[in-house]
Amino acid sequence: MEISTLATYHCLAFVWYFFVAYSITHVKTEERPSEVFLYGGQWKYLTVLNLVLQAVFYGVSFLADVLRLIKKLRCAKCIISSRDLLFSVLAFPVSTFVCISFWTLYTYNRELVYPKSLDGVIPLWLNHAMHTAVLPFALLEIFALPHRYPVKKKGLILLGFVAFLYISWVLWIYSVTGEWVYPLFALFSPPGLAAFFAGSIAIIFALYNFGEFLNRMIWGQSKFS
């Protein structure tokens, strides 16, 4: 794909994610159901954090494209390294995990992850923008250009550390409020919850490996942007 085309795509993707993140973080206070958006606000939800992550990633990608267009290759090389690290370790596995886990649990019992009371607050298009469109965007990025993945051990350690930070945030909120971020967690005993978190980390590690596999199958080992 031509650099100018990539720049246009990344710019549009950045604007889209910025708009979606802005929309969800500016839900009117008086319209929010009493059981959601309390301590930690929207920033306790992985879905919202992922929107910010995607906006940052596409912003960095657009900057890399612009630097390449204006022939600032030394600066571009550094930004491209940051872009590829963001995509491989976080943007692809997290967005894929958000889509798959949300719709799996929603299909089983929506009240565990997305109470029906939210339907009157969050429009259908915004729900799909947060939980559905993130997967096609992630896949499109893989097909649009190659990304250099870090050494697997390093990539998994970084991803595991971020997962640990989010789990710690969830547990901190529970320790302060006595309420779980997602009603699903209340169904588990402490050992069961530990097993659930461990299983979730295993799934997101598998998604990291899947992204690396797709990147290698499409672009091979040697061609990188």
Side-chain angles (χ1 to χ4, degrees):
M1 189 179 292
E2 294 293 331
I3 298 176
S4 58
T5 305
L6 279 174
T8 302
Y9 160 63
H10 286 142
C11 180
L12 291 174
F14 168 74
V15 171
W16 166 252
Y17 274 112
F18 184 87
F19 170 70
V20 174
Y22 178 87
S23 298
I24 191 61
T25 54
H26 284 77
V27 173
K28 294 180 180 179
T29 304
E30 62 270 17
E31 295 179 353
R32 298 173 183 174
S34 59
E35 68 270 26
V36 296
F37 301 142
L38 298 176
Y39 185 88
Q42 294 96 330
W43 307 112
K44 62 186 175 183
Y45 298 110
L46 184 59
T47 294
V48 178
L49 295 175
N50 179 56
L51 294 176
V52 176
L53 167 65
Q54 300 303 320
V56 170
F57 165 71
Y58 283 106
V60 171
S61 297
F62 176 60
L63 176 59
D65 297 334
V66 170
L67 290 174
R68 292 173 67 194
L69 284 171
I70 62 177
K71 308 301 182 181
K72 299 290 186 179
L73 299 183
R74 182 174 298 180
C75 294
K77 185 176 180 180
C78 179
I79 300 300
I80 287 172
S81 296
S82 300
R83 178 202 70 190
D84 289 347
L85 189 65
L86 268 175
F87 180 76
S88 60
V89 175
L90 294 177
F92 181 83
V94 173
S95 60
T96 307
F97 178 81
V98 164
C99 180
I100 293 174
S101 61
F102 175 82
W103 288 112
T104 298
L105 292 170
Y106 185 98
T107 301
Y108 174 71
N109 182 355
R110 66 169 297 175
E111 293 298 320
L112 297 177
V113 290
Y114 194 83
K116 196 170 184 179
S117 57
L118 286 175
D119 288 346
V121 180
I122 300 176
L124 183 62
W125 74 265
L126 187 52
N127 181 20
H128 283 292
M130 295 187 297
H131 298 116
T132 307
V134 292
L135 180 55
F137 266 105
L139 293 173
L140 180 59
E141 180 66 21
I142 281 188
F143 283 93
L145 74 162
H147 296 83
R148 185 180 298 277
Y149 272 66
V151 176
K152 181 161 294 190
K153 182 178 179 181
K154 176 184 176 182
L156 292 178
I157 288 175
L158 289 172
L159 178 57
F161 178 70
V162 173
F164 173 77
L165 288 179
Y166 180 69
I167 291 171
S168 299
W169 174 227
V170 168
L171 294 176
W172 170 258
I173 291 173
Y174 178 75
S175 72
V176 172
T177 67
E179 299 289 337
W180 288 110
V181 171
Y182 299 103
L184 168 69
F185 297 156
L187 301 179
F188 296 104
S189 63
L193 188 62
F196 177 83
F197 285 146
S200 297
I201 291 175
I203 291 172
I204 206 168
F205 278 4
L207 293 173
Y208 172 93
N209 288 322
F210 178 63
E212 185 178 33
F213 169 78
L214 284 180
N215 188 73
R216 185 172 63 250
M217 288 298 98
I218 296 168
W219 299 104
Q221 294 281 14
S222 58
K223 182 181 179 183
F224 293 100
S225 175

